[in-house]
Amino acid sequence: MQRSPALTGYYTMVRKDFVRIVRIWSQTLLPPVITMSLYFAIFGTFIGSQVQAIHGFPYIQFIVPGLVMMAVITAAYMNTVSTFYFAKWQRTIDELLVSPMPTWVVIAGFVSGGLMRAFLVGTLVVLVSLFFTHLVIFNIFIIFAAAFLTALLFSFAGLVNAVFAKSFDAVNIVPTFVLTPLTYLGGVFYSIDQLPDLFRTLSLFNPILYMVNAFRYGFLGVSDVSMTMAFSVMGGLAVIFFGLTLFLFIRGVGVKS
């Protein structure tokens, strides 16, 4: 049975991105593994040994899910923002826009690349964490659901950034000045129950807090927020960013002269 042109185009985009990710593994997969290994060693082992348990878990065991989620967020975001910006810079995006593929299929092709890289990086970081601590799994479904929605959301966000980026420097503005601060303040290294009331309330406006806690709940069964709220935030933001991405593509913002 012959595949439809849209499905063939989607498969081609996904295969091309997968081959690129694997071929330049020293740039796409190795750096986050090394970075997270340093976090595990310094914050988890050296400093963590002096920190009291949080929610009944050793400090390193508590921070591992957050660090894995940090790697997933960065991998998903950077894959789509870099892939789309280079396609725009090299003008190869024009070939996709004039192809018979529907707009949503083109978006799905870029987003799937972000999902692949995020899951590859996340899996590698989890495996590395086993050298520093043992992991428990409370709910495997929540682990995969939280990782998927988070990677999906930041893959869309990366596309939005790439659409508006007009230079290589602009690609790094959002990760440097928005994504990194929100991630560090998203409960990766601490429980918001340890914060004063004002800062605990402010933390609730950080969407990454819900992603980190949902992922942590899947492993440890503890969370600073309810799972209903966490998945509502992740799902709602994913829908909003998909709608925004689709709107920008249809209008040709940043790609059509």
Side-chain angles (χ1 to χ4, degrees), residues 1 12 20 50 56 60 101 110 183 205 215 234 242 253:
M1 182 177 179
T12 302
R20 180 189 65 84
Q50 308 300 317
I60 186 170
M101 287 194 299
F110 283 108
T183 302
F205 291 93
F215 198 63
M234 289 187 288
F242 168 69
V253 177

Side-chain angles (χ1 to χ4, degrees), residues 55 62 191 193 209-210 212-218 220-227 230:
H55 292 313
F62 179 82
S191 167
D193 290 342
L209 173 73
Y210 299 91
V212 169
N213 274 275
F215 198 63
R216 179 176 289 136
Y217 183 84
L220 306 180
V222 297
S223 174
D224 295 328
V225 298
S226 72
M227 288 301 98

Side-chain angles (χ1 to χ4, degrees), residues 6-212:
L7 185 59
T8 300
Y10 170 75
Y11 171 76
T12 302
M13 288 183 67
V14 173
R15 182 182 62 183
K16 177 184 177 182
D17 212 9
F18 177 77
V19 171
R20 180 189 65 84
I21 292 170
V22 174
R23 186 180 70 249
I24 57 173
W25 60 271
S26 60
Q27 301 175 41
T28 56
L29 303 179
L30 185 59
V33 171
I34 294 176
T35 301
M36 293 307 148
S37 297
L38 293 174
Y39 277 120
F40 292 146
I42 297 172
F43 288 95
T45 303
F46 303 148
I47 298 177
S49 61
Q50 308 300 317
V51 178
Q52 63 181 0
I54 301 179
H55 292 313
F57 292 94
Y59 185 67
I60 186 170
Q61 202 170 32
F62 179 82
I63 67 173
V64 163
L67 290 173
V68 174
M69 185 57 79
M70 182 191 295
V72 167
I73 289 172
T74 304
Y77 192 94
M78 293 308 298
N79 194 80
T80 52
V81 72
S82 60
T83 302
F84 185 82
Y85 181 78
F86 274 107
K88 187 170 69 170
W89 181 62
Q90 296 174 334
R91 306 307 303 176
T92 56
I93 188 64
D94 296 340
E95 300 173 7
L96 292 174
L97 295 177
V98 300
S99 71
M101 287 194 299
T103 302
W104 68 269
V105 175
V106 175
I107 295 174
F110 283 108
V111 169
S112 295
L115 290 173
M116 284 190 300
R117 181 169 168 181
F119 273 90
L120 285 172
V121 168
T123 300
L124 290 173
V125 173
V126 168
L127 293 176
V128 170
S129 72
L130 297 178
F131 290 97
F132 298 89
T133 185
H134 72 278
L135 295 179
V136 294
I137 296 179
F138 179 76
N139 190 313
I140 191 70
F141 173 76
I142 290 181
I143 290 175
F144 280 103
F148 174 78
L149 284 175
T150 301
L152 183 67
L153 167 60
F154 282 97
S155 293
F156 286 134
L159 280 180
V160 173
N161 185 182
V163 165
F164 288 104
K166 297 184 182 299
S167 66
F168 289 103
D169 291 334
V171 169
N172 294 314
I173 290 178
V174 173
T176 302
F177 296 103
V178 179
L179 197 56
T180 299
L182 287 178
T183 302
Y184 278 96
L185 297 174
V188 172
F189 298 100
Y190 56 85
S191 167
I192 63 170
D193 290 342
Q194 300 171 304
L195 301 177
D197 292 340
L198 174 61
F199 291 101
R200 182 167 62 242
T201 301
L202 291 175
S203 295
L204 295 176
F205 291 93
N206 183 352
I208 294 181
L209 173 73
Y210 299 91
M211 304 167 198
V212 169

